[in-house]
Amino acid sequence: MIKIEKLTEKYLSAASKLADTVFKDEPKLPSVGFEASLDQKKFKQLNEAENNEIASLEYFVAVDETDKVVGTTGLYALEKDKKDTYWLGWYCVDPEFRGKGVGSKLLDYTIEMVKERGKKFLRLYTSTSPEEKAAQIIYDSRGFETTKKEKSENSKYEIIYKELAL
């Protein structure tokens, strides 16, 4: 039985370890975001580093019956489109739990939150990396449309921007 809970200090270390492992090309970035969502001082530091583009951060964890973090998801808003849009942040599933519906449950939960909050769009970016293929299938099955592709400065893979109109 998987349940989804708001990220708290209780789950911070496990969530950071999972996301840092899954997003190994972006080491420590998930941890920074997770910490900033729980600590106003760290949020301010992160936002200053991002040229004050971040309006809000909020993360959630999927935990199993033993309280093990098996997935993460999040929402963030950017100043430029915060009135009608949330962005999906650090969405991932522990490799041992893939193919068991955890990713679908997390994404559906996130989509419902965005709808309940009255936003018009859920946006995300991903890449053409083979490691992100399964996520792409889930995004496509939920109706996300590709809005833009661009070359990455830090990777051989393209960045793909997707949007779900709600």
Side-chain angles (χ1 to χ4, degrees), residues 11-29:
Y11 298 116
L12 179 60
S13 177
S16 294
K17 183 177 177 184
L18 171 62
D20 286 341
T21 300
V22 171
F23 296 103
K24 57 185 167 276
D25 291 341
E26 302 177 274
K28 302 295 178 196
L29 285 180

Side-chain angles (χ1 to χ4, degrees), residues 60-76:
F60 302 86
V61 292
V63 295
D64 70 4
E65 59 278 347
T66 68
D67 235 17
K68 177 183 177 180
V69 174
V70 299
T72 65
T73 189
L75 294 173
Y76 63 97

Side-chain angles (χ1 to χ4, degrees), residues 39-74:
D39 181 321
Q40 272 304 115
K41 184 177 177 182
K42 290 181 180 180
F43 175 80
K44 186 176 179 186
Q45 291 169 343
L46 174 63
N47 203 18
E48 287 172 357
E50 295 293 328
N51 298 315
N52 296 312
E53 292 181 7
I54 305 168
S56 65
L57 292 170
E58 187 175 14
Y59 293 97
F60 302 86
V61 292
V63 295
D64 70 4
E65 59 278 347
T66 68
D67 235 17
K68 177 183 177 180
V69 174
V70 299
T72 65
T73 189

